[in-house]
Amino acid sequence: MAYEFITVDREGPVTIFTLNRPEVMNALHSPMHFELDEAFNAFAADPEQWVGIVTGAGEKAFSAGNDLKHQAGGGKMGSPPSGFAGLTSRFDLNKPLIAAVNGVAMGGGFEIALACDIIIASDKAVFALPEPKVGLAALAGGLHRLPRQIGLKRAMGMILTARRVSAAEGEALGFVNAVVPPEQLMAEAKKWAGLISECSPMSIRASKEAVMQGLDAASLEAAIKDQFKHPAVAALFKSEDFVEGPMAFAQKRAPQWKGR
């Protein structure tokens, strides 16, 4: 399907979502939120698509976040129930997402990256939650995801100062998985997507769902006990992949995953 403010490309089992408003540093307005919601819905429903990569068009920005000029000019506001970028309140997506951060990731742009499972950053990337400097707050998940991902004190050091963090510091803090030169960014993101795609997609979905649901469990004991109740875990045990994996191992051949 053709979109106006994003592009969606498929390479085998990998879907690449590109935020495509480089003239405004890929800032998001209401129509873009709804396009992304539709694109992520299609990705979630497509059994042939196993991994997603989210990136930004151009060389300057992954996303500058909310389009404040559009808002200040009286432009229509609003986002789908799935949240900012159709992603930040989407809690039922058990397919992995990789953020390939090619430049500035500010405010909502950083919150998009934090909503992904893996962050690969260009060494030119910069991250921040600058909302307090314009009288706002990072309420699209940033105030909650960042402390969970890097710890309270480190997160508060970013949140309460609204300071900018380089890709290298992001890696040291723990929210960036890898830093590469700009020209290597997409190749690195695709490498990670390829490594994920070598695994059973049923196993990957069960693993992501168990991890994310387990973070909300009251205790480690509860997380371990409850993991067998999760739909993706139950689906794994009933899948063709659950049979294929051990069989391929025993026969000393590469597994032929079906994703079902």
Side-chain angles (χ1 to χ4, degrees):
M1 178 177 176
Y3 295 102
E4 185 176 358
F5 303 111
I6 65 172
T7 63
V8 179
D9 301 290
R10 294 177 177 83
E11 298 183 6
V14 179
T15 300
I16 302 170
F17 305 88
T18 303
L19 310 177
N20 194 28
R21 297 183 74 210
E23 70 280 4
V24 291
M25 299 184 74
N26 298 318
L28 281 77
H29 58 1
S30 184
M32 194 171 177
H33 292 307
F34 282 94
E35 285 193 358
L36 283 161
D37 175 65
E38 187 172 314
F40 283 123
N41 286 344
F43 169 68
D46 188 343
E48 302 300 321
Q49 295 303 295
W50 298 353
V51 186
I53 297 174
V54 184
T55 194
E59 299 179 356
K60 293 183 178 180
F62 175 73
S63 173
N66 187 32
D67 189 342
L68 296 178
K69 291 183 179 179
H70 176 83
Q71 179 179 346
K76 181 181 178 182
M77 299 300 295
S79 59
S82 54
F84 193 88
L87 182 61
T88 60
S89 294
R90 184 182 294 270
F91 299 108
D92 59 353
L93 180 64
N94 55 27
K95 296 181 180 181
L97 291 177
I98 299 169
V101 181
N102 53 304
V104 168
M106 296 290 179
F110 187 20
E111 289 175 300
I112 295 170
L114 289 172
C116 294
D117 303 293
I118 291 170
I119 297 178
I120 309 300
S122 156
D123 59 19
K124 304 298 185 184
V126 180
F127 303 86
L129 295 175
E131 284 87 348
K133 290 189 174 183
V134 291
L136 302 172
L139 299 175
L143 299 181
H144 306 290
R145 285 191 169 98
L146 191 60
R148 284 167 167 78
Q149 294 180 21
I150 67 173
L152 179 61
K153 298 302 184 187
R154 289 180 169 188
M156 293 299 267
M158 289 185 64
I159 292 166
L160 299 182
T161 63
R163 72 184 184 90
R164 296 187 174 198
V165 167
S166 68
E169 186 179 356
E171 186 176 29
L173 288 170
F175 65 78
V176 171
N177 294 83
V179 180
V180 295
E183 63 273 15
Q184 297 177 19
L185 178 65
M186 287 307 295
E188 183 72 10
K190 290 177 183 179
K191 183 187 80 173
W192 283 70
L195 291 170
I196 294 171
S197 297
E198 291 176 6
C199 302
S200 160
M202 300 299 292
S203 298
I204 292 298
R205 293 168 205 165
S207 297
K208 176 176 175 176
E209 194 165 287
V211 168
M212 302 309 290
Q213 295 295 326
L215 289 174
D216 292 329
S219 66
L220 174 61
E221 180 180 4
I224 292 172
K225 287 182 178 178
D226 290 346
Q227 65 187 352
F228 298 100
K229 301 176 183 177
H230 304 320
V233 175
L236 169 63
F237 291 140
K238 298 176 182 178
S239 70
E240 294 180 36
D241 285 2
F242 191 69
V243 176
E244 168 65 7
M247 184 178 295
F249 179 82
Q251 296 175 354
K252 298 182 180 180
R253 60 173 176 81
Q256 301 297 311
W257 304 123
K258 303 296 185 183
R260 59 178 186 268

